[in-house]
Amino acid sequence: MSLQSVADIVARGDPDRFDACMAAPVATRAVLFPIYAFNVEVSRATWAISEPLISEMRLQWLRDALDDIANGKTASRHEVIAPLGDVLDGEGARILDRLVQARRHDLQPKPARDVGQFREYLDSTGGGLMWAAARALGGEDEACFRTLGMASGLANFLLAVPRLATRMGAPLPDGGSDTIQMLARDALAELRSLRLPKAGRAASLAAWRAKTILRRAAGEPDRVAKGTLSESEFRRRLSLIWAGYRL
């Protein structure tokens, strides 16, 4: 049940967060990698399993594991759950449980979500993951970290739209380009007003691509469906170096 084990899971399943962890202070990695590895496990249960019933069973197993952590029971000796139990308290486990519940909606072939419901989904997923990570590092400003996590979650969701569309049909709320622009512009406005506290700030590195992706979506929303939101690898890495430097 080593740190290397969960780091390898994140490296394979979530390269952006792996790179963000490697850019963060060394002491924070033992906290961040288990939380991000758990998120990878949730994503695998949602997307890598073709049978919805098996996916539901896997997600329920993850929820049961979180319930054990929340109630102070010995965590399962699973390669992700065991180290996760070392870094989460009861409230942290409940935050991630809400993330799992929200991700269950991804099992539906056409999730019916209006803009308000979509924002609630982003709050539980991207916002919840960011807050769980920041809180485990000593962060206290929940609203700030949730706002950052929601913006990052939106950026990641927009990047994934072409892949999501093959399974969901229409993963975004109705409204086409106008809705994409509204969501992206609102998120950018909220990011501009954020003042990140020092406590828990290492978790914010996971959002290092958000502004670039959201600016592109706001300016050229057609790029979302085309799958051309991503920046070059050189710019991606340079922006992470800059984000790490400013940490």
Side-chain angles (χ1 to χ4, degrees):
M1 307 299 175
S2 66
L3 179 61
Q4 187 62 51
S5 177
V6 286
D8 288 344
I9 289 171
V10 179
R12 292 191 300 268
D14 194 344
D16 277 359
R17 287 194 175 91
F18 176 80
D19 289 345
C21 282
M22 296 307 292
V26 174
T28 67
R29 296 173 192 170
V31 174
L32 295 175
F33 273 131
I35 293 172
Y36 295 157
F38 179 82
N39 190 56
V40 171
E41 288 295 302
V42 176
S43 296
R44 284 176 177 171
T46 306
W47 292 102
I49 301 173
S50 58
E51 175 55 53
L53 180 58
I54 296 176
S55 293
E56 287 275 8
M57 293 171 62
R58 183 62 178 173
L59 290 176
Q60 185 58 51
W61 184 86
L62 293 172
R63 292 194 66 197
D64 290 343
L66 289 172
D67 186 63
D68 286 344
I69 294 172
N71 288 294
K73 298 180 181 179
T74 301
S76 165
R77 295 303 296 166
H78 183 268
E79 62 181 345
V80 172
I81 301 303
L84 185 70
D86 291 335
V87 301
L88 285 189
D89 61 5
E91 179 58 24
R94 285 184 280 272
I95 293 167
L96 291 185
D97 182 66
R98 290 191 286 274
L99 179 152
V100 179
Q101 291 184 64
R103 291 299 302 272
R104 291 178 67 181
H105 292 290
D106 293 342
L107 299 177
Q108 301 173 19
K110 292 184 179 180
R113 287 193 288 241
D114 58 25
V115 170
Q117 292 170 329
F118 184 63
R119 284 186 167 130
E120 289 177 3
Y121 170 86
L122 292 176
D123 180 49
S124 295
T125 54
L129 184 63
M130 179 68 73
W131 172 230
R135 186 177 178 277
L137 292 173
E140 298 179 348
D141 193 335
E142 179 176 359
C144 181
F145 284 109
R146 278 193 177 274
T147 297
L148 179 61
M150 287 179 67
S152 179
L154 174 60
N156 291 335
F157 196 96
L158 294 177
L159 284 171
V161 160
R163 178 173 63 89
L164 296 174
T166 64
R167 178 164 172 172
M168 294 182 178
L172 288 165
D174 291 339
S177 294
D178 289 343
T179 297
I180 292 172
Q181 285 186 310
M182 177 192 67
L183 289 168
R185 288 171 178 171
D186 286 352
L188 285 168
E190 290 178 339
L191 287 178
R192 284 193 290 270
S193 67
L194 281 186
R195 296 295 180 269
L196 282 175
K198 186 173 182 179
R201 189 179 294 182
S204 70
L205 281 175
W208 100 88
R209 298 180 69 192
K211 284 185 179 179
T212 296
I213 300 304
L214 293 172
R215 284 172 184 147
R216 291 186 175 194
E220 301 177 75
D222 291 345
R223 296 179 70 162
V224 173
K226 295 176 182 177
T228 59
L229 283 177
S230 293
E231 66 276 59
S232 69
E233 183 61 17
F234 173 78
R235 181 170 181 177
R236 175 184 173 277
R237 292 199 171 274
L238 185 64
S239 62
L240 176 57
I241 292 171
W242 177 241
Y245 175 77
R246 296 182 65 188
L247 191 65

